[in-house]
Amino acid sequence: MKLEAFAVVGHPIGHTMSPFIHKKLFALGGLSPEYQVLDMKDLSLEADKLRQLDGINITIPHKQAIIPLLSGLDEKAAKNQSVNTVMVENGQLWGYTTDGPGCCKALANHSANCAGHTLLLGAGGAARAIAFELLPLGGTLTLAVRDKEKGFRLAEELGLGVKVISFTELEGGTEEYSLLINATSVGMYPKSGVSPVSGQVVQRCESIFDAVYNPHETALLQLGKQLGKNLIYGIEMLVYQAVAAHEIWYGATFTEGAISALCREAAQETAKIFGAG
Ligand code: NAP
């Protein structure tokens, strides 16, 4: 495939960390393609423009909307019904999802127990991707959601043994978890300063991962810090899902040292743009 024209596509796209991270990854691979930020409202009207690119990162709200424009999906993206990475070959679009692997890589880097008892907040796109990635690892999963019907639908897709509870039930409970993952948008810039759960819930969890990366240290992570928990920051998932996109596009390989350094730089850049927390 050609490696000349790449873009992130979303709406509204505003401040995005994608150009910062992807340009650094291309530079590590000795490449310097164009990388655009494309604010597109209706993807179905933009197919011709997308076909002229070589690779695309898809962000909110288009991770499902891109699917009808694709010539095919890989197995994981088909299962998740979510696409965040597109490879363009001879004008045809092929879809992949790297959110789940990016999350698991960030969790593994911090020795979080991914095969224990996980509490996952939310039932949106990120929650789906993470749940489908975690379940084969053999642990148990509880989904805390504000809309239990939506939670039950996701649990049914995921298979037996996934428990669904409301946030009220979670706050009133006593169950302990090895890992808490926030995959809701609560705490995200510009409505930062709010945690999806109280310290009472955080206290019952060993490791705390927040998929929200803007601000860098969310209110949830601040609670975890005060309570001495093992913390995993959303920016690491963002960097590792981007790394996986480069592996798909051109078989890139990077050293762990280079990616750790990029995680630190991206954290500083996030704090500069969205605030440290
Ligand atoms: P999404 O599909 O819109 O899902 C958002 C989820 O948050 C939904 O389940 C929604 O509940 C829930 N939610 C929103 N407000 C809530 C509230 N007040 N109380 C409880 N739940 C609430 O978005 P997404 O794509 O999954 O993204 C979620 C977050 O993850 C965003 O902040 C995004 O930036 C982040 N993310 C990070 C990465 C990364 O690489 N670090 C990757 C992907 C996403 P309902 O289901 O009831 O609507």
Side-chain angles (χ1 to χ4, degrees), residues 63 74-80 82-85 95-110 112 114 125-137 181 209 211 232-248 256 259 263:
K63 289 183 183 181
D74 86 331
E75 199 185 328
K76 200 167 275 189
K79 202 162 158 195
N80 290 7
S82 175
V83 166
N84 74 343
T85 301
Y96 302 82
T97 180
T98 65
D99 281 333
C103 172
C104 280
K105 184 73 178 130
L107 293 172
N109 278 354
H110 293 272
C114 299
R128 282 180 70 85
I130 292 169
F132 275 114
E133 199 72 22
L134 284 185
L135 268 184
L137 304 179
I181 298 177
F209 169 58
I232 304 101
Y233 290 73
I235 195 68
E236 284 202 33
M237 172 176 166
L238 194 69
V239 168
Y240 280 101
Q241 60 80 32
V243 166
H246 286 246
E247 289 167 359
I248 290 166
E256 275 305 323
I259 301 308
C263 287

Coordinates of all heavy atoms in Angstrom, one line a residue, residues 63 74-80 82-85 95-110 112 114 125-137 181 209 211 232-248 256 259 263:
K63 N -17.4 5.4 14.5 CA -16.8 4.0 14.6 C -17.8 2.9 14.1 O -17.4 1.9 13.6 CB -16.4 3.7 16.0 CG -15.1 4.5 16.4 CD -14.6 4.1 17.8 CE -13.5 5.0 18.2 NZ -12.9 4.6 19.5
D74 N -12.1 -7.0 9.7 CA -11.5 -8.1 10.2 C -12.4 -8.7 11.3 O -13.4 -8.1 11.7 CB -10.0 -7.8 10.7 CG -10.0 -7.3 12.1 OD1 -11.0 -6.6 12.5 OD2 -9.0 -7.5 12.8
E75 N -12.0 -9.9 11.8 CA -12.9 -10.7 12.7 C -13.3 -9.9 14.0 O -14.4 -9.8 14.4 CB -12.2 -12.0 13.1 CG -13.1 -13.0 13.6 CD -12.3 -14.3 14.0 OE1 -11.2 -14.5 13.5 OE2 -12.7 -14.9 15.0
K76 N -12.3 -9.2 14.5 CA -12.5 -8.5 15.8 C -13.4 -7.3 15.6 O -14.4 -7.1 16.3 CB -11.1 -8.0 16.3 CG -11.1 -7.7 17.8 CD -9.7 -7.5 18.3 CE -9.1 -8.8 18.7 NZ -7.8 -8.7 19.4
A77 N -13.2 -6.6 14.5 CA -14.1 -5.4 14.2 C -15.5 -5.9 13.9 O -16.5 -5.2 14.3 CB -13.5 -4.6 13.0
A78 N -15.6 -7.0 13.2 CA -17.0 -7.5 12.9 C -17.7 -7.9 14.2 O -18.9 -7.6 14.4 CB -16.8 -8.8 12.0
K79 N -17.0 -8.6 15.1 CA -17.6 -9.0 16.4 C -18.0 -7.7 17.2 O -19.0 -7.7 17.8 CB -16.5 -9.8 17.2 CG -17.1 -10.7 18.2 CD -16.0 -11.7 18.5 CE -16.0 -12.4 19.7 NZ -14.8 -13.1 20.0
N80 N -17.1 -6.7 17.3 CA -17.3 -5.5 18.1 C -18.3 -4.6 17.4 O -18.8 -3.7 18.0 CB -16.0 -4.7 18.3 CG -15.1 -5.4 19.2 OD1 -15.3 -6.5 19.6 ND2 -14.0 -4.7 19.5
S82 N -17.4 -2.3 15.5 CA -16.7 -1.0 15.7 C -15.4 -1.0 15.0 O -14.7 -2.0 15.0 CB -16.5 -0.8 17.2 OG -15.8 0.3 17.5
V83 N -15.1 0.2 14.3 CA -13.9 0.3 13.5 C -13.2 1.6 13.9 O -13.8 2.6 13.9 CB -14.3 0.3 12.0 CG1 -13.1 0.8 11.1 CG2 -14.7 -1.1 11.5
N84 N -11.9 1.5 14.3 CA -11.2 2.7 14.6 C -10.0 2.9 13.6 O -9.3 3.9 13.7 CB -10.8 2.8 16.0 CG -9.6 1.9 16.4 OD1 -9.3 0.9 15.6 ND2 -8.9 2.1 17.5
T85 N -9.7 1.9 12.8 CA -8.6 1.9 11.9 C -9.0 1.4 10.5 O -9.7 0.4 10.4 CB -7.5 1.0 12.4 OG1 -7.1 1.4 13.7 CG2 -6.2 1.0 11.5
G95 N -11.7 -2.4 7.3 CA -11.8 -1.9 8.7 C -11.2 -2.9 9.8 O -11.4 -4.1 9.7
Y96 N -10.7 -2.3 10.8 CA -10.1 -3.0 11.9 C -10.4 -2.2 13.2 O -10.8 -1.0 13.2 CB -8.6 -3.0 11.8 CG -8.0 -3.6 10.6 CD1 -8.0 -2.9 9.4 CD2 -7.6 -5.0 10.6 CE1 -7.5 -3.5 8.2 CE2 -7.2 -5.6 9.4 CZ -7.1 -4.8 8.2 OH -6.7 -5.4 7.1
T97 N -10.3 -2.9 14.4 CA -10.4 -2.2 15.6 C -9.2 -2.5 16.5 O -8.8 -3.7 16.6 CB -11.7 -2.5 16.4 OG1 -11.7 -1.7 17.6 CG2 -11.9 -4.0 16.7
T98 N -8.6 -1.5 17.0 CA -7.4 -1.7 17.8 C -7.6 -1.2 19.3 O -6.7 -1.1 20.1 CB -6.2 -0.9 17.2 OG1 -6.4 0.5 17.3 CG2 -5.9 -1.4 15.8
D99 N -8.9 -0.7 19.6 CA -9.1 -0.2 20.9 C -8.9 -1.3 22.0 O -8.3 -1.0 23.1 CB -10.6 0.3 21.0 CG -10.7 1.7 20.4 OD1 -9.7 2.5 20.4 OD2 -11.8 2.0 20.0
G100 N -9.5 -2.5 21.8 CA -9.3 -3.6 22.8 C -7.9 -3.9 23.0 O -7.4 -3.9 24.2
P101 N -7.1 -4.2 22.0 CA -5.7 -4.6 22.2 C -4.9 -3.4 22.8 O -4.0 -3.7 23.7 CB -5.2 -4.9 20.8 CG -6.4 -5.3 20.0 CD -7.5 -4.5 20.6
G102 N -5.2 -2.2 22.5 CA -4.6 -1.0 23.1 C -4.8 -1.0 24.5 O -3.9 -0.7 25.3
C103 N -6.0 -1.2 24.9 CA -6.4 -1.2 26.4 C -5.6 -2.3 27.1 O -5.0 -2.1 28.2 CB -7.9 -1.4 26.5 SG -8.4 -1.6 28.2
C104 N -5.7 -3.5 26.6 CA -5.0 -4.7 27.3 C -3.5 -4.5 27.4 O -2.9 -4.8 28.4 CB -5.3 -6.0 26.6 SG -7.0 -6.5 27.0
K105 N -2.9 -3.9 26.4 CA -1.5 -3.6 26.4 C -1.1 -2.6 27.6 O -0.2 -2.8 28.4 CB -1.0 -3.0 25.1 CG 0.5 -2.8 25.0 CD 1.2 -4.2 24.8 CE 2.7 -3.9 24.7 NZ 3.6 -4.6 25.5
A106 N -2.0 -1.6 27.7 CA -1.8 -0.6 28.7 C -1.9 -1.2 30.1 O -1.1 -1.0 31.0 CB -2.7 0.6 28.6
L107 N -2.9 -2.1 30.2 CA -3.2 -2.8 31.5 C -2.0 -3.7 31.9 O -1.6 -3.7 33.0 CB -4.5 -3.6 31.4 CG -5.8 -2.7 31.3 CD1 -7.0 -3.6 31.1 CD2 -6.0 -1.9 32.5
A108 N -1.6 -4.4 30.9 CA -0.5 -5.4 31.1 C 0.8 -4.7 31.5 O 1.5 -5.1 32.4 CB -0.2 -6.2 29.8
N109 N 1.0 -3.5 30.9 CA 2.2 -2.7 31.3 C 2.3 -2.4 32.8 O 3.3 -2.1 33.3 CB 2.3 -1.4 30.5 CG 2.8 -1.7 29.1 OD1 3.3 -2.7 28.8 ND2 2.8 -0.6 28.3
H110 N 1.1 -2.3 33.4 CA 1.0 -1.9 34.8 C 0.6 -3.1 35.7 O 0.2 -2.9 36.8 CB 0.1 -0.7 34.9 CG 0.6 0.5 34.3 ND1 1.4 1.4 34.9 CD2 0.5 0.9 33.0 CE1 1.8 2.4 34.1 NE2 1.2 2.1 32.9
A112 N -1.8 -4.9 35.8 CA -3.2 -5.0 36.3 C -3.7 -6.4 36.0 O -3.4 -7.0 35.0 CB -4.1 -4.0 35.6
C114 N -6.0 -8.7 34.5 CA -7.0 -8.6 33.5 C -7.9 -9.9 33.5 O -8.9 -10.0 32.8 CB -6.4 -8.5 32.1 SG -5.5 -7.0 31.9
G125 N -19.2 2.3 22.9 CA -18.2 1.7 22.0 C -16.9 1.2 22.7 O -16.5 0.1 22.4
A126 N -16.4 2.0 23.5 CA -15.1 1.6 24.2 C -15.4 0.4 25.1 O -14.6 -0.5 25.2 CB -14.5 2.8 25.0
A127 N -16.5 0.5 25.8 CA -16.8 -0.6 26.8 C -16.9 -1.9 26.0 O -16.4 -3.0 26.4 CB -18.1 -0.3 27.5
R128 N -17.6 -1.9 24.8 CA -17.8 -3.1 24.0 C -16.4 -3.7 23.6 O -16.1 -4.9 23.8 CB -18.5 -2.8 22.7 CG -20.0 -2.6 22.8 CD -20.5 -2.3 21.4 NE -20.4 -3.4 20.5 CZ -21.3 -4.4 20.4 NH1 -22.4 -4.3 21.2 NH2 -21.2 -5.4 19.6
A129 N -15.5 -2.8 23.1 CA -14.2 -3.2 22.6 C -13.4 -3.8 23.7 O -12.8 -4.9 23.6 CB -13.5 -2.0 22.0
I130 N -13.5 -3.2 24.9 CA -12.7 -3.7 26.1 C -13.3 -5.0 26.6 O -12.5 -6.0 26.9 CB -12.7 -2.6 27.2 CG1 -11.8 -1.4 26.7 CG2 -12.1 -3.1 28.5 CD1 -11.9 -0.1 27.5
A131 N -14.6 -5.1 26.7 CA -15.2 -6.3 27.2 C -14.9 -7.5 26.3 O -14.5 -8.6 26.8 CB -16.7 -6.1 27.3
F132 N -15.0 -7.3 24.9 CA -14.7 -8.4 24.0 C -13.2 -8.8 24.1 O -12.9 -10.0 23.9 CB -15.1 -8.0 22.6 CG -16.5 -8.2 22.2 CD1 -17.3 -7.2 21.9 CD2 -17.0 -9.5 22.2 CE1 -18.7 -7.4 21.6 CE2 -18.4 -9.7 21.9 CZ -19.2 -8.7 21.6
E133 N -12.4 -7.9 24.5 CA -10.9 -8.3 24.6 C -10.6 -9.0 25.9 O -9.8 -9.9 25.9 CB -10.1 -6.9 24.5 CG -8.7 -7.1 24.1 CD -8.5 -7.5 22.7 OE1 -9.3 -7.3 21.8 OE2 -7.4 -8.1 22.4
L134 N -11.3 -8.5 27.0 CA -11.0 -9.1 28.3 C -11.6 -10.5 28.5 O -10.9 -11.3 29.1 CB -11.6 -8.2 29.4 CG -10.9 -6.9 29.7 CD1 -11.5 -6.2 30.9 CD2 -9.4 -7.1 30.0
L135 N -12.8 -10.7 28.0 CA -13.5 -12.0 28.4 C -12.7 -13.2 28.0 O -12.7 -14.1 28.8 CB -14.9 -12.0 27.8 CG -16.0 -11.4 28.7 CD1 -17.3 -11.6 28.0 CD2 -16.0 -12.1 30.1
P136 N -12.1 -13.3 26.8 CA -11.3 -14.5 26.5 C -10.2 -14.8 27.5 O -9.6 -15.9 27.5 CB -10.8 -14.3 25.1 CG -11.7 -13.2 24.5 CD -12.1 -12.4 25.7
L137 N -9.8 -13.8 28.3 CA -8.7 -14.0 29.2 C -9.1 -14.8 30.4 O -8.2 -15.2 31.2 CB -8.1 -12.6 29.6 CG -7.6 -11.7 28.5 CD1 -7.1 -10.4 29.0 CD2 -6.6 -12.4 27.7
I181 N -12.6 -0.4 35.4 CA -12.3 0.3 34.1 C -13.4 1.3 33.8 O -14.6 0.9 33.8 CB -12.3 -0.7 32.9 CG1 -11.1 -1.7 33.1 CG2 -12.1 0.0 31.6 CD1 -11.0 -2.8 32.0
F209 N -8.3 1.9 35.9 CA -8.0 2.4 34.6 C -9.1 3.3 34.1 O -10.3 2.9 34.1 CB -7.8 1.2 33.6 CG -7.7 1.6 32.2 CD1 -6.7 2.5 31.7 CD2 -8.7 1.2 31.2 CE1 -6.7 2.9 30.4 CE2 -8.6 1.6 29.9 CZ -7.6 2.5 29.5
A211 N -10.3 5.1 30.7 CA -10.2 5.2 29.2 C -10.2 6.7 28.9 O -9.6 7.1 27.8 CB -11.3 4.5 28.5
I232 N -3.8 3.3 35.9 CA -3.4 3.2 34.5 C -4.2 4.3 33.8 O -5.4 4.5 33.9 CB -3.8 1.8 33.9 CG1 -3.2 0.7 34.7 CG2 -3.4 1.7 32.4 CD1 -4.1 0.0 35.7
Y233 N -3.4 5.2 33.1 CA -3.9 6.4 32.4 C -4.4 6.1 31.0 O -3.8 5.3 30.3 CB -2.9 7.5 32.4 CG -2.6 8.0 33.8 CD1 -1.8 7.2 34.7 CD2 -3.0 9.2 34.2 CE1 -1.6 7.7 36.0 CE2 -2.7 9.7 35.5 CZ -2.0 9.0 36.4 OH -1.8 9.4 37.6
G234 N -5.5 6.8 30.6 CA -6.1 6.6 29.3 C -5.2 6.9 28.1 O -5.3 6.3 27.1
I235 N -4.2 7.8 28.3 CA -3.3 8.1 27.2 C -2.5 6.9 26.8 O -2.2 6.8 25.6 CB -2.4 9.3 27.7 CG1 -1.7 9.9 26.4 CG2 -1.4 8.9 28.7 CD1 -2.6 10.6 25.5
E236 N -2.2 5.9 27.7 CA -1.5 4.8 27.3 C -2.3 3.9 26.3 O -1.7 3.4 25.3 CB -1.0 3.9 28.5 CG 0.1 4.6 29.2 CD 0.9 3.6 30.0 OE1 1.0 2.4 29.7 OE2 1.4 4.1 31.1
M237 N -3.6 3.8 26.6 CA -4.4 3.0 25.6 C -4.4 3.7 24.3 O -4.3 3.1 23.2 CB -5.9 2.9 26.2 CG -6.9 2.4 25.2 SD -8.5 2.1 26.0 CE -9.5 1.9 24.5
L238 N -4.5 5.1 24.3 CA -4.5 5.8 23.1 C -3.3 5.6 22.3 O -3.3 5.4 21.0 CB -4.7 7.3 23.4 CG -5.1 8.2 22.2 CD1 -6.5 7.9 21.7 CD2 -5.0 9.7 22.5
V239 N -2.1 5.6 22.9 CA -0.9 5.4 22.2 C -0.8 4.0 21.7 O -0.5 3.7 20.5 CB 0.3 5.7 23.2 CG1 1.6 5.2 22.5 CG2 0.4 7.2 23.5
Y240 N -1.2 3.0 22.5 CA -1.1 1.6 22.1 C -2.1 1.2 21.0 O -1.8 0.4 20.1 CB -1.1 0.6 23.3 CG 0.2 0.5 24.0 CD1 0.4 1.2 25.1 CD2 1.3 -0.2 23.4 CE1 1.7 1.2 25.8 CE2 2.5 -0.2 24.0 CZ 2.7 0.5 25.2 OH 3.9 0.4 25.8
Q241 N -3.3 1.9 21.0 CA -4.2 1.6 19.9 C -3.6 2.2 18.6 O -3.8 1.6 17.5 CB -5.6 2.0 20.2 CG -5.9 3.4 20.5 CD -6.0 4.3 19.3 OE1 -6.4 3.8 18.2 NE2 -5.6 5.5 19.3
A242 N -2.9 3.3 18.7 CA -2.3 3.9 17.5 C -1.1 3.0 17.0 O -1.0 2.8 15.8 CB -1.8 5.3 17.9
V243 N -0.3 2.5 17.9 CA 0.8 1.6 17.6 C 0.2 0.4 16.8 O 0.7 0.0 15.7 CB 1.5 1.1 18.8 CG1 2.4 -0.1 18.5 CG2 2.3 2.2 19.5
A244 N -0.9 -0.1 17.2 CA -1.5 -1.3 16.6 C -2.0 -0.9 15.2 O -1.9 -1.7 14.2 CB -2.7 -1.9 17.4
A245 N -2.4 0.4 15.0 CA -2.8 0.8 13.6 C -1.6 0.8 12.7 O -1.7 0.4 11.5 CB -3.4 2.2 13.7
H246 N -0.5 1.2 13.2 CA 0.8 1.2 12.3 C 1.2 -0.2 12.0 O 1.7 -0.4 10.9 CB 1.9 2.0 13.0 CG 1.6 3.5 13.0 ND1 2.4 4.4 12.3 CD2 0.6 4.2 13.5 CE1 1.9 5.6 12.4 NE2 0.9 5.5 13.2
E247 N 1.0 -1.1 12.9 CA 1.3 -2.5 12.7 C 0.4 -3.0 11.5 O 0.9 -3.7 10.6 CB 1.1 -3.4 13.9 CG 2.1 -3.1 15.0 CD 1.7 -3.7 16.4 OE1 0.7 -4.3 16.5 OE2 2.5 -3.5 17.3
I248 N -0.8 -2.6 11.5 CA -1.8 -3.0 10.4 C -1.4 -2.4 9.1 O -1.3 -3.0 8.1 CB -3.2 -2.7 10.8 CG1 -3.7 -3.6 12.0 CG2 -4.2 -2.8 9.6 CD1 -5.0 -3.1 12.7
E256 N 10.0 -1.1 22.9 CA 9.1 -0.8 24.1 C 9.6 0.6 24.6 O 8.8 1.4 25.1 CB 9.2 -1.8 25.1 CG 8.2 -3.0 25.0 CD 6.8 -2.5 24.8 OE1 6.4 -1.5 25.5 OE2 6.0 -3.1 24.0
I259 N 8.2 3.5 22.7 CA 6.7 3.7 23.0 C 6.5 4.2 24.4 O 5.6 5.1 24.6 CB 5.9 2.4 22.7 CG1 6.1 1.9 21.3 CG2 4.4 2.6 23.0 CD1 5.8 3.0 20.2
C263 N 4.6 7.6 25.3 CA 3.5 7.7 26.3 C 3.7 8.9 27.2 O 2.8 9.7 27.5 CB 3.4 6.4 27.1 SG 2.7 5.0 26.2

